[in-house]
Amino acid sequence: MFIVGAVATLVTMAPLFLDIDPFPSYAWAVCMLMGVGFAVSAAGVLRSAAAQRRAARASQPA
């Protein structure tokens, strides 16, 4: 998702530098996938860290 959003961001910024007509508004909505992909990956990192922490606590003797 992040890569798709990053590519879409580059594509939608191209008219600023190439002096062509701007893309429609739905193209800008695809750019939001970059933020969504970042949020999904951050959530995965946090879940993984929490699971490792639980596993470390479970393996320690009481």
Side-chain angles (χ1 to χ4, degrees):
M1 265 193 267
F2 179 82
I3 293 172
V4 171
V7 169
T9 301
L10 291 174
V11 168
T12 53
M13 291 295 162
L16 295 173
F17 303 109
L18 300 176
D19 197 32
I20 58 177
D21 291 334
F23 292 103
S25 59
Y26 64 82
W28 291 93
V30 176
C31 294
M32 299 302 158
L33 286 177
M34 189 164 63
V36 172
F38 183 75
V40 167
S41 66
V45 167
L46 293 175
R47 285 186 59 168
S48 175
Q52 288 178 2
R53 203 175 314 125
R54 282 192 301 273
R57 282 190 203 138
S59 68
Q60 291 179 351

mmCIF file of all heavy atoms in Angstrom:
data_model
loop_
_atom_site.group_PDB
_atom_site.id
_atom_site.type_symbol
_atom_site.label_atom_id
_atom_site.label_comp_id
_atom_site.label_asym_id
_atom_site.label_seq_id
_atom_site.Cartn_x
_atom_site.Cartn_y
_atom_site.Cartn_z
ATOM 1 N N MET A 1 0.812 -1.188 0.000
ATOM 2 C CA MET A 1 0.000 0.000 0.000
ATOM 3 C C MET A 1 0.860 1.258 0.000
ATOM 4 O O MET A 1 0.538 2.216 -0.692
ATOM 5 C CB MET A 1 -0.893 0.003 1.243
ATOM 6 C CG MET A 1 -2.246 -0.548 1.024
ATOM 7 S SD MET A 1 -3.340 -0.194 2.385
ATOM 8 C CE MET A 1 -3.127 -1.653 3.369
ATOM 9 N N PHE A 2 1.893 1.233 0.821
ATOM 10 C CA PHE A 2 2.751 2.412 0.919
ATOM 11 C C PHE A 2 3.397 2.724 -0.423
ATOM 12 O O PHE A 2 3.429 3.878 -0.858
ATOM 13 C CB PHE A 2 3.827 2.194 1.984
ATOM 14 C CG PHE A 2 4.768 3.354 2.124
ATOM 15 C CD1 PHE A 2 4.420 4.458 2.880
ATOM 16 C CD2 PHE A 2 5.996 3.343 1.497
ATOM 17 C CE1 PHE A 2 5.278 5.537 3.003
ATOM 18 C CE2 PHE A 2 6.865 4.408 1.610
ATOM 19 C CZ PHE A 2 6.504 5.509 2.373
ATOM 20 N N ILE A 3 3.882 1.689 -1.102
ATOM 21 C CA ILE A 3 4.564 1.898 -2.377
ATOM 22 C C ILE A 3 3.586 2.421 -3.432
ATOM 23 O O ILE A 3 3.923 3.331 -4.198
ATOM 24 C CB ILE A 3 5.259 0.605 -2.837
ATOM 25 C CG1 ILE A 3 6.403 0.288 -1.877
ATOM 26 C CG2 ILE A 3 5.768 0.718 -4.259
ATOM 27 C CD1 ILE A 3 7.060 -1.041 -2.097
ATOM 28 N N VAL A 4 2.376 1.883 -3.443
ATOM 29 C CA VAL A 4 1.364 2.367 -4.395
ATOM 30 C C VAL A 4 1.065 3.838 -4.126
ATOM 31 O O VAL A 4 0.980 4.659 -5.046
ATOM 32 C CB VAL A 4 0.079 1.518 -4.310
ATOM 33 C CG1 VAL A 4 -1.043 2.134 -5.128
ATOM 34 C CG2 VAL A 4 0.350 0.099 -4.764
ATOM 35 N N GLY A 5 0.914 4.200 -2.855
ATOM 36 C CA GLY A 5 0.664 5.593 -2.508
ATOM 37 C C GLY A 5 1.832 6.498 -2.847
ATOM 38 O O GLY A 5 1.646 7.633 -3.298
ATOM 39 N N ALA A 6 3.045 6.014 -2.642
ATOM 40 C CA ALA A 6 4.224 6.824 -2.963
ATOM 41 C C ALA A 6 4.337 7.065 -4.465
ATOM 42 O O ALA A 6 4.632 8.180 -4.903
ATOM 43 C CB ALA A 6 5.485 6.138 -2.438
ATOM 44 N N VAL A 7 4.078 6.033 -5.251
ATOM 45 C CA VAL A 7 4.113 6.196 -6.706
ATOM 46 C C VAL A 7 3.005 7.142 -7.156
ATOM 47 O O VAL A 7 3.218 8.006 -8.015
ATOM 48 C CB VAL A 7 4.008 4.822 -7.408
ATOM 49 C CG1 VAL A 7 3.781 4.977 -8.902
ATOM 50 C CG2 VAL A 7 5.252 3.996 -7.134
ATOM 51 N N ALA A 8 1.827 7.001 -6.558
ATOM 52 C CA ALA A 8 0.719 7.895 -6.915
ATOM 53 C C ALA A 8 1.055 9.336 -6.561
ATOM 54 O O ALA A 8 0.700 10.261 -7.297
ATOM 55 C CB ALA A 8 -0.553 7.457 -6.198
ATOM 56 N N THR A 9 1.739 9.542 -5.454
ATOM 57 C CA THR A 9 2.138 10.892 -5.069
ATOM 58 C C THR A 9 3.105 11.479 -6.094
ATOM 59 O O THR A 9 2.976 12.635 -6.497
ATOM 60 C CB THR A 9 2.775 10.888 -3.667
ATOM 61 O OG1 THR A 9 1.815 10.378 -2.738
ATOM 62 C CG2 THR A 9 3.190 12.276 -3.249
ATOM 63 N N LEU A 10 4.065 10.684 -6.511
ATOM 64 C CA LEU A 10 5.001 11.157 -7.534
ATOM 65 C C LEU A 10 4.292 11.479 -8.842
ATOM 66 O O LEU A 10 4.582 12.490 -9.483
ATOM 67 C CB LEU A 10 6.088 10.113 -7.767
ATOM 68 C CG LEU A 10 7.074 9.909 -6.621
ATOM 69 C CD1 LEU A 10 7.995 8.736 -6.941
ATOM 70 C CD2 LEU A 10 7.870 11.166 -6.388
ATOM 71 N N VAL A 11 3.344 10.627 -9.218
ATOM 72 C CA VAL A 11 2.618 10.840 -10.474
ATOM 73 C C VAL A 11 1.752 12.087 -10.391
ATOM 74 O O VAL A 11 1.686 12.868 -11.351
ATOM 75 C CB VAL A 11 1.771 9.590 -10.815
ATOM 76 C CG1 VAL A 11 0.796 9.870 -11.944
ATOM 77 C CG2 VAL A 11 2.683 8.430 -11.173
ATOM 78 N N THR A 12 1.086 12.306 -9.278
ATOM 79 C CA THR A 12 0.210 13.478 -9.174
ATOM 80 C C THR A 12 0.994 14.774 -9.037
ATOM 81 O O THR A 12 0.463 15.846 -9.321
ATOM 82 C CB THR A 12 -0.769 13.352 -7.994
ATOM 83 O OG1 THR A 12 -0.047 13.063 -6.804
ATOM 84 C CG2 THR A 12 -1.791 12.278 -8.252
ATOM 85 N N MET A 13 2.240 14.693 -8.609
ATOM 86 C CA MET A 13 3.075 15.892 -8.542
ATOM 87 C C MET A 13 3.743 16.212 -9.883
ATOM 88 O O MET A 13 4.245 17.314 -10.070
ATOM 89 C CB MET A 13 4.165 15.717 -7.470
ATOM 90 C CG MET A 13 3.644 15.701 -6.080
ATOM 91 S SD MET A 13 2.937 17.292 -5.698
ATOM 92 C CE MET A 13 1.960 16.893 -4.292
ATOM 93 N N ALA A 14 3.740 15.268 -10.792
ATOM 94 C CA ALA A 14 4.388 15.467 -12.093
ATOM 95 C C ALA A 14 3.866 16.686 -12.855
ATOM 96 O O ALA A 14 4.662 17.400 -13.472
ATOM 97 C CB ALA A 14 4.258 14.205 -12.939
ATOM 98 N N PRO A 15 2.553 16.961 -12.856
ATOM 99 C CA PRO A 15 2.084 18.141 -13.596
ATOM 100 C C PRO A 15 2.695 19.460 -13.108
ATOM 101 O O PRO A 15 2.781 20.422 -13.875
ATOM 102 C CB PRO A 15 0.571 18.130 -13.372
ATOM 103 C CG PRO A 15 0.240 16.715 -13.119
ATOM 104 C CD PRO A 15 1.424 16.159 -12.388
ATOM 105 N N LEU A 16 3.122 19.517 -11.864
ATOM 106 C CA LEU A 16 3.747 20.735 -11.366
ATOM 107 C C LEU A 16 5.077 21.012 -12.068
ATOM 108 O O LEU A 16 5.459 22.159 -12.263
ATOM 109 C CB LEU A 16 3.979 20.631 -9.866
ATOM 110 C CG LEU A 16 2.728 20.556 -8.990
ATOM 111 C CD1 LEU A 16 3.121 20.284 -7.544
ATOM 112 C CD2 LEU A 16 1.932 21.835 -9.097
ATOM 113 N N PHE A 17 5.774 19.946 -12.423
ATOM 114 C CA PHE A 17 7.100 20.086 -13.015
ATOM 115 C C PHE A 17 7.099 19.963 -14.540
ATOM 116 O O PHE A 17 7.996 20.465 -15.205
ATOM 117 C CB PHE A 17 8.051 19.050 -12.421
ATOM 118 C CG PHE A 17 8.154 19.148 -10.929
ATOM 119 C CD1 PHE A 17 7.596 18.180 -10.115
ATOM 120 C CD2 PHE A 17 8.789 20.225 -10.333
ATOM 121 C CE1 PHE A 17 7.683 18.277 -8.743
ATOM 122 C CE2 PHE A 17 8.881 20.335 -8.961
ATOM 123 C CZ PHE A 17 8.325 19.359 -8.161
ATOM 124 N N LEU A 18 6.106 19.284 -15.085
ATOM 125 C CA LEU A 18 6.078 19.022 -16.522
ATOM 126 C C LEU A 18 5.139 19.953 -17.283
ATOM 127 O O LEU A 18 4.998 19.828 -18.494
ATOM 128 C CB LEU A 18 5.672 17.566 -16.777
ATOM 129 C CG LEU A 18 6.602 16.521 -16.160
ATOM 130 C CD1 LEU A 18 6.047 15.125 -16.397
ATOM 131 C CD2 LEU A 18 8.003 16.647 -16.719
ATOM 132 N N ASP A 19 4.473 20.853 -16.593
ATOM 133 C CA ASP A 19 3.574 21.822 -17.206
ATOM 134 C C ASP A 19 2.497 21.149 -18.051
ATOM 135 O O ASP A 19 2.293 21.468 -19.223
ATOM 136 C CB ASP A 19 4.363 22.833 -18.035
ATOM 137 C CG ASP A 19 3.546 24.076 -18.345
ATOM 138 O OD1 ASP A 19 2.707 24.456 -17.504
ATOM 139 O OD2 ASP A 19 3.751 24.663 -19.422
ATOM 140 N N ILE A 20 1.818 20.161 -17.448
ATOM 141 C CA ILE A 20 0.686 19.500 -18.101
ATOM 142 C C ILE A 20 -0.554 19.716 -17.235
ATOM 143 O O ILE A 20 -0.471 20.239 -16.129
ATOM 144 C CB ILE A 20 0.958 17.999 -18.330
ATOM 145 C CG1 ILE A 20 1.261 17.283 -17.011
ATOM 146 C CG2 ILE A 20 2.071 17.795 -19.314
ATOM 147 C CD1 ILE A 20 1.462 15.789 -17.144
ATOM 148 N N ASP A 21 -1.701 19.297 -17.738
ATOM 149 C CA ASP A 21 -2.949 19.460 -16.990
ATOM 150 C C ASP A 21 -2.917 18.615 -15.714
ATOM 151 O O ASP A 21 -2.435 17.475 -15.731
ATOM 152 C CB ASP A 21 -4.148 19.028 -17.835
ATOM 153 C CG ASP A 21 -4.395 19.980 -18.987
ATOM 154 O OD1 ASP A 21 -4.018 21.166 -18.869
ATOM 155 O OD2 ASP A 21 -4.966 19.531 -20.009
ATOM 156 N N PRO A 22 -3.432 19.140 -14.608
ATOM 157 C CA PRO A 22 -3.443 18.367 -13.363
ATOM 158 C C PRO A 22 -4.392 17.170 -13.453
ATOM 159 O O PRO A 22 -5.336 17.170 -14.243
ATOM 160 C CB PRO A 22 -3.917 19.361 -12.311
ATOM 161 C CG PRO A 22 -4.480 20.513 -13.042
ATOM 162 C CD PRO A 22 -3.945 20.480 -14.435
ATOM 163 N N PHE A 23 -4.125 16.181 -12.643
ATOM 164 C CA PHE A 23 -4.951 14.981 -12.618
ATOM 165 C C PHE A 23 -6.230 15.239 -11.834
ATOM 166 O O PHE A 23 -6.287 16.144 -10.999
ATOM 167 C CB PHE A 23 -4.173 13.821 -11.988
ATOM 168 C CG PHE A 23 -3.024 13.357 -12.831
ATOM 169 C CD1 PHE A 23 -1.731 13.709 -12.518
ATOM 170 C CD2 PHE A 23 -3.257 12.570 -13.944
ATOM 171 C CE1 PHE A 23 -0.667 13.293 -13.292
ATOM 172 C CE2 PHE A 23 -2.199 12.145 -14.733
ATOM 173 C CZ PHE A 23 -0.901 12.505 -14.406
ATOM 174 N N PRO A 24 -7.284 14.437 -12.072
ATOM 175 C CA PRO A 24 -8.534 14.623 -11.337
ATOM 176 C C PRO A 24 -8.374 14.312 -9.841
ATOM 177 O O PRO A 24 -7.376 13.738 -9.409
ATOM 178 C CB PRO A 24 -9.497 13.641 -11.994
ATOM 179 C CG PRO A 24 -8.696 12.767 -12.854
ATOM 180 C CD PRO A 24 -7.370 13.395 -13.071
ATOM 181 N N SER A 25 -9.385 14.677 -9.082
ATOM 182 C CA SER A 25 -9.285 14.578 -7.621
ATOM 183 C C SER A 25 -9.160 13.139 -7.126
ATOM 184 O O SER A 25 -8.573 12.901 -6.072
ATOM 185 C CB SER A 25 -10.481 15.249 -6.964
ATOM 186 O OG SER A 25 -11.677 14.635 -7.395
ATOM 187 N N TYR A 26 -9.703 12.157 -7.853
ATOM 188 C CA TYR A 26 -9.568 10.781 -7.374
ATOM 189 C C TYR A 26 -8.112 10.322 -7.415
ATOM 190 O O TYR A 26 -7.718 9.430 -6.665
ATOM 191 C CB TYR A 26 -10.471 9.812 -8.132
ATOM 192 C CG TYR A 26 -10.164 9.650 -9.601
ATOM 193 C CD1 TYR A 26 -9.165 8.792 -10.023
ATOM 194 C CD2 TYR A 26 -10.887 10.341 -10.559
ATOM 195 C CE1 TYR A 26 -8.868 8.642 -11.363
ATOM 196 C CE2 TYR A 26 -10.609 10.193 -11.907
ATOM 197 C CZ TYR A 26 -9.606 9.345 -12.301
ATOM 198 O OH TYR A 26 -9.314 9.185 -13.629
ATOM 199 N N ALA A 27 -7.305 10.913 -8.258
ATOM 200 C CA ALA A 27 -5.879 10.573 -8.264
ATOM 201 C C ALA A 27 -5.222 11.027 -6.962
ATOM 202 O O ALA A 27 -4.321 10.367 -6.446
ATOM 203 C CB ALA A 27 -5.190 11.213 -9.456
ATOM 204 N N TRP A 28 -5.680 12.142 -6.440
ATOM 205 C CA TRP A 28 -5.144 12.615 -5.165
ATOM 206 C C TRP A 28 -5.585 11.704 -4.020
ATOM 207 O O TRP A 28 -4.863 11.528 -3.039
ATOM 208 C CB TRP A 28 -5.585 14.053 -4.898
ATOM 209 C CG TRP A 28 -4.940 15.006 -5.839
ATOM 210 C CD1 TRP A 28 -5.432 15.450 -7.021
ATOM 211 C CD2 TRP A 28 -3.649 15.603 -5.693
ATOM 212 N NE1 TRP A 28 -4.538 16.300 -7.625
ATOM 213 C CE2 TRP A 28 -3.433 16.417 -6.827
ATOM 214 C CE3 TRP A 28 -2.664 15.546 -4.721
ATOM 215 C CZ2 TRP A 28 -2.274 17.149 -7.012
ATOM 216 C CZ3 TRP A 28 -1.518 16.278 -4.900
ATOM 217 C CH2 TRP A 28 -1.327 17.064 -6.034
ATOM 218 N N ALA A 29 -6.771 11.112 -4.137
ATOM 219 C CA ALA A 29 -7.249 10.189 -3.104
ATOM 220 C C ALA A 29 -6.367 8.943 -3.040
ATOM 221 O O ALA A 29 -6.149 8.388 -1.949
ATOM 222 C CB ALA A 29 -8.699 9.801 -3.374
ATOM 223 N N VAL A 30 -5.848 8.508 -4.174
ATOM 224 C CA VAL A 30 -4.960 7.338 -4.187
ATOM 225 C C VAL A 30 -3.672 7.644 -3.418
ATOM 226 O O VAL A 30 -3.076 6.756 -2.807
ATOM 227 C CB VAL A 30 -4.664 6.905 -5.638
ATOM 228 C CG1 VAL A 30 -3.675 5.752 -5.683
ATOM 229 C CG2 VAL A 30 -5.947 6.516 -6.353
ATOM 230 N N CYS A 31 -3.280 8.905 -3.377
ATOM 231 C CA CYS A 31 -2.077 9.291 -2.636
ATOM 232 C C CYS A 31 -2.215 8.991 -1.145
ATOM 233 O O CYS A 31 -1.213 8.802 -0.446
ATOM 234 C CB CYS A 31 -1.788 10.778 -2.812
ATOM 235 S SG CYS A 31 -1.365 11.231 -4.483
ATOM 236 N N MET A 32 -3.444 8.964 -0.655
ATOM 237 C CA MET A 32 -3.673 8.698 0.766
ATOM 238 C C MET A 32 -3.273 7.278 1.146
ATOM 239 O O MET A 32 -3.106 6.977 2.333
ATOM 240 C CB MET A 32 -5.143 8.934 1.123
ATOM 241 C CG MET A 32 -5.601 10.334 0.895
ATOM 242 S SD MET A 32 -4.608 11.493 1.840
ATOM 243 C CE MET A 32 -4.882 12.981 0.940
ATOM 244 N N LEU A 33 -3.096 6.405 0.169
ATOM 245 C CA LEU A 33 -2.666 5.043 0.468
ATOM 246 C C LEU A 33 -1.277 5.017 1.093
ATOM 247 O O LEU A 33 -0.937 4.073 1.807
ATOM 248 C CB LEU A 33 -2.684 4.179 -0.795
ATOM 249 C CG LEU A 33 -4.058 3.767 -1.299
ATOM 250 C CD1 LEU A 33 -3.909 2.977 -2.593
ATOM 251 C CD2 LEU A 33 -4.799 2.963 -0.261
ATOM 252 N N MET A 34 -0.485 6.036 0.830
ATOM 253 C CA MET A 34 0.844 6.074 1.429
ATOM 254 C C MET A 34 0.724 6.161 2.945
ATOM 255 O O MET A 34 1.380 5.420 3.676
ATOM 256 C CB MET A 34 1.645 7.259 0.883
ATOM 257 C CG MET A 34 3.101 7.229 1.292
ATOM 258 S SD MET A 34 4.178 8.320 0.340
ATOM 259 C CE MET A 34 3.558 9.917 0.703
ATOM 260 N N GLY A 35 -0.126 7.040 3.430
ATOM 261 C CA GLY A 35 -0.340 7.159 4.869
ATOM 262 C C GLY A 35 -0.994 5.926 5.465
ATOM 263 O O GLY A 35 -0.639 5.486 6.561
ATOM 264 N N VAL A 36 -1.937 5.345 4.741
ATOM 265 C CA VAL A 36 -2.615 4.140 5.216
ATOM 266 C C VAL A 36 -1.616 2.982 5.301
ATOM 267 O O VAL A 36 -1.604 2.227 6.283
ATOM 268 C CB VAL A 36 -3.798 3.776 4.293
ATOM 269 C CG1 VAL A 36 -4.388 2.428 4.662
ATOM 270 C CG2 VAL A 36 -4.862 4.854 4.362
ATOM 271 N N GLY A 37 -0.770 2.850 4.299
ATOM 272 C CA GLY A 37 0.243 1.788 4.322
ATOM 273 C C GLY A 37 1.214 1.962 5.465
ATOM 274 O O GLY A 37 1.621 0.988 6.109
ATOM 275 N N PHE A 38 1.594 3.203 5.744
ATOM 276 C CA PHE A 38 2.481 3.467 6.866
ATOM 277 C C PHE A 38 1.806 3.101 8.183
ATOM 278 O O PHE A 38 2.423 2.496 9.065
ATOM 279 C CB PHE A 38 2.904 4.936 6.882
ATOM 280 C CG PHE A 38 3.878 5.271 7.965
ATOM 281 C CD1 PHE A 38 5.201 4.906 7.862
ATOM 282 C CD2 PHE A 38 3.459 5.934 9.104
ATOM 283 C CE1 PHE A 38 6.099 5.205 8.869
ATOM 284 C CE2 PHE A 38 4.346 6.237 10.122
ATOM 285 C CZ PHE A 38 5.674 5.869 10.003
ATOM 286 N N ALA A 39 0.532 3.440 8.329
ATOM 287 C CA ALA A 39 -0.203 3.112 9.556
ATOM 288 C C ALA A 39 -0.346 1.602 9.739
ATOM 289 O O ALA A 39 -0.201 1.086 10.853
ATOM 290 C CB ALA A 39 -1.576 3.774 9.535
ATOM 291 N N VAL A 40 -0.605 0.890 8.653
ATOM 292 C CA VAL A 40 -0.730 -0.569 8.729
ATOM 293 C C VAL A 40 0.597 -1.199 9.145
ATOM 294 O O VAL A 40 0.640 -2.096 9.996
ATOM 295 C CB VAL A 40 -1.223 -1.143 7.384
ATOM 296 C CG1 VAL A 40 -1.060 -2.657 7.324
ATOM 297 C CG2 VAL A 40 -2.662 -0.752 7.148
ATOM 298 N N SER A 41 1.700 -0.723 8.570
ATOM 299 C CA SER A 41 2.997 -1.294 8.935
ATOM 300 C C SER A 41 3.372 -0.938 10.370
ATOM 301 O O SER A 41 3.934 -1.767 11.092
ATOM 302 C CB SER A 41 4.085 -0.831 7.964
ATOM 303 O OG SER A 41 4.297 0.556 8.083
ATOM 304 N N ALA A 42 3.042 0.259 10.821
ATOM 305 C CA ALA A 42 3.325 0.633 12.207
ATOM 306 C C ALA A 42 2.503 -0.214 13.174
ATOM 307 O O ALA A 42 3.012 -0.654 14.219
ATOM 308 C CB ALA A 42 3.031 2.110 12.426
ATOM 309 N N ALA A 43 1.256 -0.489 12.833
ATOM 310 C CA ALA A 43 0.423 -1.347 13.674
ATOM 311 C C ALA A 43 0.999 -2.760 13.734
ATOM 312 O O ALA A 43 0.993 -3.398 14.800
ATOM 313 C CB ALA A 43 -1.003 -1.378 13.144
ATOM 314 N N GLY A 44 1.514 -3.256 12.626
ATOM 315 C CA GLY A 44 2.125 -4.581 12.613
ATOM 316 C C GLY A 44 3.368 -4.643 13.480
ATOM 317 O O GLY A 44 3.601 -5.630 14.180
ATOM 318 N N VAL A 45 4.179 -3.596 13.453
ATOM 319 C CA VAL A 45 5.376 -3.554 14.290
ATOM 320 C C VAL A 45 4.993 -3.546 15.759
ATOM 321 O O VAL A 45 5.587 -4.260 16.582
ATOM 322 C CB VAL A 45 6.249 -2.321 13.931
ATOM 323 C CG1 VAL A 45 7.324 -2.079 14.973
ATOM 324 C CG2 VAL A 45 6.872 -2.505 12.567
ATOM 325 N N LEU A 46 3.990 -2.750 16.113
ATOM 326 C CA LEU A 46 3.561 -2.687 17.511
ATOM 327 C C LEU A 46 2.973 -4.016 17.983
ATOM 328 O O LEU A 46 3.234 -4.451 19.116
ATOM 329 C CB LEU A 46 2.552 -1.557 17.701
ATOM 330 C CG LEU A 46 3.107 -0.149 17.526
ATOM 331 C CD1 LEU A 46 1.985 0.871 17.616
ATOM 332 C CD2 LEU A 46 4.192 0.134 18.556
ATOM 333 N N ARG A 47 2.194 -4.672 17.124
ATOM 334 C CA ARG A 47 1.636 -5.979 17.500
ATOM 335 C C ARG A 47 2.731 -7.016 17.672
ATOM 336 O O ARG A 47 2.696 -7.847 18.578
ATOM 337 C CB ARG A 47 0.644 -6.454 16.447
ATOM 338 C CG ARG A 47 -0.682 -5.713 16.512
ATOM 339 C CD ARG A 47 -1.665 -6.298 15.560
ATOM 340 N NE ARG A 47 -1.861 -7.721 15.897
ATOM 341 C CZ ARG A 47 -2.822 -8.457 15.403
ATOM 342 N NH1 ARG A 47 -3.667 -7.940 14.542
ATOM 343 N NH2 ARG A 47 -2.945 -9.719 15.745
ATOM 344 N N SER A 48 3.722 -6.987 16.794
ATOM 345 C CA SER A 48 4.830 -7.930 16.883
ATOM 346 C C SER A 48 5.635 -7.709 18.164
ATOM 347 O O SER A 48 6.018 -8.668 18.839
ATOM 348 C CB SER A 48 5.736 -7.789 15.660
ATOM 349 O OG SER A 48 6.858 -8.608 15.776
ATOM 350 N N ALA A 49 5.870 -6.452 18.497
ATOM 351 C CA ALA A 49 6.612 -6.150 19.722
ATOM 352 C C ALA A 49 5.838 -6.612 20.951
ATOM 353 O O ALA A 49 6.416 -7.170 21.889
ATOM 354 C CB ALA A 49 6.895 -4.658 19.808
ATOM 355 N N ALA A 50 4.532 -6.415 20.949
ATOM 356 C CA ALA A 50 3.719 -6.852 22.074
ATOM 357 C C ALA A 50 3.721 -8.379 22.197
ATOM 358 O O ALA A 50 3.797 -8.927 23.303
ATOM 359 C CB ALA A 50 2.293 -6.338 21.927
ATOM 360 N N ALA A 51 3.660 -9.077 21.069
ATOM 361 C CA ALA A 51 3.681 -10.542 21.100
ATOM 362 C C ALA A 51 5.024 -11.051 21.604
ATOM 363 O O ALA A 51 5.079 -12.021 22.389
ATOM 364 C CB ALA A 51 3.394 -11.091 19.703
ATOM 365 N N GLN A 52 6.116 -10.423 21.193
ATOM 366 C CA GLN A 52 7.432 -10.840 21.679
ATOM 367 C C GLN A 52 7.570 -10.573 23.171
ATOM 368 O O GLN A 52 8.171 -11.371 23.902
ATOM 369 C CB GLN A 52 8.528 -10.121 20.912
ATOM 370 C CG GLN A 52 8.687 -10.614 19.498
ATOM 371 C CD GLN A 52 9.757 -9.848 18.742
ATOM 372 O OE1 GLN A 52 10.410 -8.968 19.277
ATOM 373 N NE2 GLN A 52 9.930 -10.185 17.472
ATOM 374 N N ARG A 53 7.015 -9.462 23.631
ATOM 375 C CA ARG A 53 7.063 -9.144 25.051
ATOM 376 C C ARG A 53 6.275 -10.177 25.869
ATOM 377 O O ARG A 53 6.723 -10.636 26.914
ATOM 378 C CB ARG A 53 6.500 -7.742 25.286
ATOM 379 C CG ARG A 53 6.976 -7.093 26.545
ATOM 380 C CD ARG A 53 6.501 -5.658 26.688
ATOM 381 N NE ARG A 53 6.663 -4.863 25.482
ATOM 382 C CZ ARG A 53 5.681 -4.199 24.880
ATOM 383 N NH1 ARG A 53 4.464 -4.211 25.370
ATOM 384 N NH2 ARG A 53 5.917 -3.505 23.789
ATOM 385 N N ARG A 54 5.084 -10.560 25.379
ATOM 386 C CA ARG A 54 4.294 -11.584 26.056
ATOM 387 C C ARG A 54 5.026 -12.920 26.072
ATOM 388 O O ARG A 54 5.020 -13.636 27.080
ATOM 389 C CB ARG A 54 2.945 -11.743 25.375
ATOM 390 C CG ARG A 54 1.943 -10.664 25.735
ATOM 391 C CD ARG A 54 0.551 -11.022 25.258
ATOM 392 N NE ARG A 54 0.470 -11.223 23.810
ATOM 393 C CZ ARG A 54 0.252 -10.260 22.922
ATOM 394 N NH1 ARG A 54 0.090 -9.025 23.331
ATOM 395 N NH2 ARG A 54 0.200 -10.529 21.632
ATOM 396 N N ALA A 55 5.660 -13.282 24.970
ATOM 397 C CA ALA A 55 6.392 -14.546 24.901
ATOM 398 C C ALA A 55 7.581 -14.542 25.851
ATOM 399 O O ALA A 55 7.883 -15.545 26.479
ATOM 400 C CB ALA A 55 6.858 -14.807 23.470
ATOM 401 N N ALA A 56 8.256 -13.404 25.972
ATOM 402 C CA ALA A 56 9.410 -13.313 26.883
ATOM 403 C C ALA A 56 8.944 -13.447 28.335
ATOM 404 O O ALA A 56 9.611 -14.093 29.147
ATOM 405 C CB ALA A 56 10.148 -11.995 26.676
ATOM 406 N N ARG A 57 7.825 -12.830 28.667
ATOM 407 C CA ARG A 57 7.303 -12.945 30.032
ATOM 408 C C ARG A 57 6.860 -14.359 30.344
ATOM 409 O O ARG A 57 7.032 -14.847 31.451
ATOM 410 C CB ARG A 57 6.115 -12.000 30.231
ATOM 411 C CG ARG A 57 6.526 -10.585 30.444
ATOM 412 C CD ARG A 57 5.341 -9.756 30.881
ATOM 413 N NE ARG A 57 5.593 -8.358 30.569
ATOM 414 C CZ ARG A 57 4.716 -7.527 30.070
ATOM 415 N NH1 ARG A 57 3.489 -7.934 29.827
ATOM 416 N NH2 ARG A 57 5.037 -6.282 29.819
ATOM 417 N N ALA A 58 6.266 -15.033 29.357
ATOM 418 C CA ALA A 58 5.787 -16.395 29.569
ATOM 419 C C ALA A 58 6.936 -17.378 29.734
ATOM 420 O O ALA A 58 6.798 -18.389 30.436
ATOM 421 C CB ALA A 58 4.907 -16.826 28.409
ATOM 422 N N SER A 59 8.076 -17.098 29.147
ATOM 423 C CA SER A 59 9.191 -18.035 29.229
ATOM 424 C C SER A 59 10.018 -17.850 30.487
ATOM 425 O O SER A 59 10.840 -18.715 30.816
ATOM 426 C CB SER A 59 10.087 -17.898 27.992
ATOM 427 O OG SER A 59 10.737 -16.643 28.006
ATOM 428 N N GLN A 60 9.822 -16.743 31.196
ATOM 429 C CA GLN A 60 10.582 -16.521 32.443
ATOM 430 C C GLN A 60 9.962 -17.335 33.568
ATOM 431 O O GLN A 60 8.754 -17.437 33.691
ATOM 432 C CB GLN A 60 10.575 -15.039 32.820
ATOM 433 C CG GLN A 60 11.368 -14.181 31.900
ATOM 434 C CD GLN A 60 11.310 -12.709 32.305
ATOM 435 O OE1 GLN A 60 10.534 -12.339 33.180
ATOM 436 N NE2 GLN A 60 12.108 -11.897 31.646
ATOM 437 N N PRO A 61 10.833 -17.910 34.419
ATOM 438 C CA PRO A 61 10.291 -18.652 35.564
ATOM 439 C C PRO A 61 9.645 -17.702 36.573
ATOM 440 O O PRO A 61 10.062 -16.569 36.741
ATOM 441 C CB PRO A 61 11.513 -19.337 36.180
ATOM 442 C CG PRO A 61 12.680 -18.588 35.657
ATOM 443 C CD PRO A 61 12.277 -17.940 34.373
ATOM 444 N N ALA A 62 8.614 -18.184 37.215
ATOM 445 C CA ALA A 62 7.884 -17.358 38.201
ATOM 446 C C ALA A 62 8.613 -17.324 39.460
ATOM 447 O O ALA A 62 9.299 -16.863 40.098
ATOM 448 C CB ALA A 62 6.506 -17.925 38.457
#
